[in-house]
Amino acid sequence: MSILETVKLNLSYGNRRGIRDVSLSVSEGQIFGFLGPNGAGKSTTIRILMGLLKASSGTAQIFGRNCWSDGAEIRREVGYVAGDVRLYPWLTLQRGLKLIGQIYKRDVQTRGMLLAERFSMETTLPVWKMSRGNRQKVALILAMAPNPRVLILDEPTSGLDPLMQDTLMLCLREMSQAGHTILFSSHLLSEVESLCDKIAIIRDGQIVENAMLADLQAKAPRRVVVTLPLGHDAIIPWPEMARLTWSPASQSEATISAAQSGLTGIPPARLHRTCLLEVHGSGAEFLQWAAAQSFEDISISPPSLESMFRSYYYTDKHPAKSTR
């Protein structure tokens, strides 16, 4: 059953494109990853879901109700953390929990205090004395304290240290196991891949991939790094299962897009004899072929969404342009 659904959502900012034909479906109890770089259209979509923006066309529903016309009723069962958290300077977590309890018309103190302990928060410290990470934690606690049926988080790990990121992930998994539905927006593939059941990838305001994580991982290639011996200048007949993404011959033009080609982490002195490939299928079959070659070294990574993700955001040499 879909708890949250959009169908062909469109919104433009005057002459600037916002989102186009965005269709999403999130089932009850699912952690849904909404992935894309900054400015791809994630926040615009989320603001429509929260009833803060009205779509030019298309539909957005939560609990089967229209997000614009029934927004007030929907928000009684939705927790939300915006991508740009802003809190009153005088607010403390303690006062925030009291206000949230009045808004949701339920007791949130018990759960709020438990969350405050898990996130190591001082409940009487005012916002103006807090670090950015602590302000983010306040927003997260206030969103989760009412135990809402749906939790919508826009870049929720922003400002959190690694330990607090782990704490958040654990809280979200617990909520999902209890039947709560979570929309988790991020520009970081690693956190979406480690947390979510289903992922939608948005580029330039359009959905370019929407599938279960397991299905995406099954299609994902392995990243292979081959180090050629010194003085090697022969053309290599790569097998059909391998796609060459970088070779010494392409160094002059691809150096500009090193991040695109996955060259970060390779010493510059080795670039002139390094080849990068994407291998689909069995890594063992490729290794069997490679054993007959005169390579100095070879490494094969497990199947990863990284290469797939990068392919959606880069053209031949330049990253895709972003929107709001």
Side-chain angles (χ1 to χ4, degrees), residues 91-94 113 116-117 119-126 129-130 134 137-138 141:
L91 189 71
T92 65
L93 179 56
Q94 190 175 66
M113 289 302 174
E117 184 175 351
F119 282 92
S120 303
M121 279 300 299
E122 185 179 341
T123 60
T124 58
L125 187 70
K129 290 186 177 181
M130 292 182 187
N134 279 340
K137 287 191 284 184
V138 168
I141 291 169

Short mmCIF file of all heavy atoms in Angstrom, two decimals, residues 91-94 113 116-117 119-126 129-130 134 137-138 141:
data_model
loop_
_atom_site.label_atom_id
_atom_site.label_comp_id
_atom_site.label_asym_id
_atom_site.label_seq_id
_atom_site.Cartn_x
_atom_site.Cartn_y
_atom_site.Cartn_z
N LEU A 91 14.83 29.29 21.54
CA LEU A 91 14.26 27.96 21.72
C LEU A 91 15.24 27.01 22.40
O LEU A 91 16.42 26.98 22.08
CB LEU A 91 13.86 27.40 20.36
CG LEU A 91 13.04 26.10 20.38
CD1 LEU A 91 11.63 26.35 20.90
CD2 LEU A 91 12.99 25.48 18.98
N THR A 92 14.73 26.24 23.35
CA THR A 92 15.47 25.12 23.92
C THR A 92 14.76 23.84 23.49
O THR A 92 13.59 23.87 23.07
CB THR A 92 15.51 25.18 25.45
OG1 THR A 92 14.17 25.03 25.96
CG2 THR A 92 16.10 26.50 25.93
N LEU A 93 15.42 22.71 23.63
CA LEU A 93 14.78 21.45 23.28
C LEU A 93 13.57 21.21 24.19
O LEU A 93 12.52 20.75 23.73
CB LEU A 93 15.77 20.30 23.40
CG LEU A 93 15.22 18.90 23.09
CD1 LEU A 93 14.59 18.85 21.70
CD2 LEU A 93 16.32 17.85 23.21
N GLN A 94 13.71 21.56 25.44
CA GLN A 94 12.62 21.37 26.39
C GLN A 94 11.38 22.17 25.98
O GLN A 94 10.26 21.65 25.95
CB GLN A 94 13.10 21.80 27.79
CG GLN A 94 12.15 21.44 28.92
CD GLN A 94 12.76 21.80 30.26
OE1 GLN A 94 12.97 22.97 30.57
NE2 GLN A 94 13.07 20.78 31.05
N MET A 113 12.50 12.99 25.48
CA MET A 113 13.62 12.92 26.42
C MET A 113 14.50 11.70 26.15
O MET A 113 15.73 11.76 26.31
CB MET A 113 13.10 12.89 27.86
CG MET A 113 12.53 14.22 28.31
SD MET A 113 13.76 15.55 28.18
CE MET A 113 12.77 16.98 28.61
N ALA A 116 16.57 12.71 23.27
CA ALA A 116 17.59 13.67 23.71
C ALA A 116 18.77 12.96 24.35
O ALA A 116 19.94 13.33 24.12
CB ALA A 116 16.97 14.66 24.71
N GLU A 117 18.49 11.90 25.09
CA GLU A 117 19.56 11.12 25.72
C GLU A 117 20.38 10.38 24.66
O GLU A 117 21.61 10.36 24.72
CB GLU A 117 18.96 10.13 26.71
CG GLU A 117 19.99 9.34 27.49
CD GLU A 117 19.37 8.44 28.54
OE1 GLU A 117 18.16 8.56 28.79
OE2 GLU A 117 20.11 7.61 29.10
N PHE A 119 20.83 11.26 21.59
CA PHE A 119 21.59 12.21 20.79
C PHE A 119 22.49 13.11 21.64
O PHE A 119 23.07 14.06 21.14
CB PHE A 119 20.64 13.08 19.95
CG PHE A 119 20.11 12.40 18.72
CD1 PHE A 119 18.91 11.71 18.76
CD2 PHE A 119 20.84 12.42 17.54
CE1 PHE A 119 18.42 11.08 17.62
CE2 PHE A 119 20.35 11.79 16.40
CZ PHE A 119 19.14 11.11 16.45
N SER A 120 22.60 12.79 22.93
CA SER A 120 23.48 13.54 23.85
C SER A 120 23.19 15.04 23.84
O SER A 120 24.10 15.87 23.71
CB SER A 120 24.96 13.29 23.50
OG SER A 120 25.26 11.92 23.52
N MET A 121 21.90 15.39 23.97
CA MET A 121 21.48 16.78 23.92
C MET A 121 21.15 17.32 25.31
O MET A 121 20.51 16.66 26.11
CB MET A 121 20.25 16.92 23.03
CG MET A 121 20.55 16.99 21.55
SD MET A 121 21.60 18.38 21.11
CE MET A 121 20.59 19.76 21.62
N GLU A 122 21.60 18.54 25.56
CA GLU A 122 21.24 19.26 26.77
C GLU A 122 19.91 19.97 26.51
O GLU A 122 19.82 20.82 25.62
CB GLU A 122 22.33 20.29 27.12
CG GLU A 122 22.11 21.00 28.43
CD GLU A 122 23.23 21.99 28.73
OE1 GLU A 122 24.31 21.85 28.13
OE2 GLU A 122 23.00 22.90 29.56
N THR A 123 18.89 19.63 27.28
CA THR A 123 17.53 20.07 26.95
C THR A 123 17.25 21.53 27.27
O THR A 123 16.27 22.09 26.78
CB THR A 123 16.49 19.20 27.68
OG1 THR A 123 16.70 19.31 29.09
CG2 THR A 123 16.62 17.74 27.24
N THR A 124 18.07 22.17 28.10
CA THR A 124 17.80 23.56 28.49
C THR A 124 18.71 24.58 27.81
O THR A 124 18.64 25.77 28.09
CB THR A 124 17.94 23.72 30.03
OG1 THR A 124 19.26 23.32 30.42
CG2 THR A 124 16.90 22.86 30.75
N LEU A 125 19.55 24.12 26.89
CA LEU A 125 20.46 25.02 26.19
C LEU A 125 19.71 25.74 25.07
O LEU A 125 19.07 25.10 24.24
CB LEU A 125 21.63 24.23 25.61
CG LEU A 125 22.78 25.04 24.98
CD1 LEU A 125 23.56 25.77 26.07
CD2 LEU A 125 23.70 24.12 24.18
N PRO A 126 19.78 27.09 25.01
CA PRO A 126 19.09 27.80 23.93
C PRO A 126 19.82 27.64 22.60
O PRO A 126 21.02 27.43 22.55
CB PRO A 126 19.11 29.26 24.40
CG PRO A 126 20.29 29.35 25.31
CD PRO A 126 20.40 28.01 25.98
N LYS A 129 23.12 29.36 21.56
CA LYS A 129 24.39 28.87 22.12
C LYS A 129 24.82 27.54 21.49
O LYS A 129 25.86 27.00 21.86
CB LYS A 129 24.25 28.69 23.63
CG LYS A 129 24.14 29.97 24.42
CD LYS A 129 24.16 29.69 25.92
CE LYS A 129 24.12 30.97 26.73
NZ LYS A 129 24.15 30.68 28.19
N MET A 130 24.05 27.04 20.57
CA MET A 130 24.32 25.71 20.01
C MET A 130 25.20 25.76 18.77
O MET A 130 25.17 26.73 18.01
CB MET A 130 22.99 25.03 19.62
CG MET A 130 22.11 24.65 20.77
SD MET A 130 20.63 23.79 20.15
CE MET A 130 19.69 23.64 21.68
N ASN A 134 24.29 20.59 16.80
CA ASN A 134 23.28 20.50 17.86
C ASN A 134 21.95 21.07 17.41
O ASN A 134 20.89 20.57 17.79
CB ASN A 134 23.77 21.20 19.12
CG ASN A 134 24.71 20.33 19.94
OD1 ASN A 134 24.73 19.10 19.78
ND2 ASN A 134 25.50 20.93 20.80
N LYS A 137 20.33 18.42 15.50
CA LYS A 137 19.79 17.37 16.38
C LYS A 137 18.47 17.79 17.01
O LYS A 137 17.56 16.97 17.18
CB LYS A 137 20.83 17.02 17.46
CG LYS A 137 22.01 16.22 16.93
CD LYS A 137 22.87 15.65 18.03
CE LYS A 137 23.75 16.68 18.68
NZ LYS A 137 24.66 16.10 19.70
N VAL A 138 18.35 19.06 17.37
CA VAL A 138 17.08 19.56 17.91
C VAL A 138 15.96 19.37 16.89
O VAL A 138 14.87 18.87 17.22
CB VAL A 138 17.19 21.06 18.30
CG1 VAL A 138 15.81 21.64 18.59
CG2 VAL A 138 18.08 21.23 19.51
N ILE A 141 15.06 15.63 16.64
CA ILE A 141 14.33 15.15 17.82
C ILE A 141 12.89 15.65 17.80
O ILE A 141 11.95 14.89 18.06
CB ILE A 141 15.05 15.58 19.11
CG1 ILE A 141 16.38 14.84 19.24
CG2 ILE A 141 14.18 15.30 20.34
CD1 ILE A 141 17.28 15.38 20.33
#
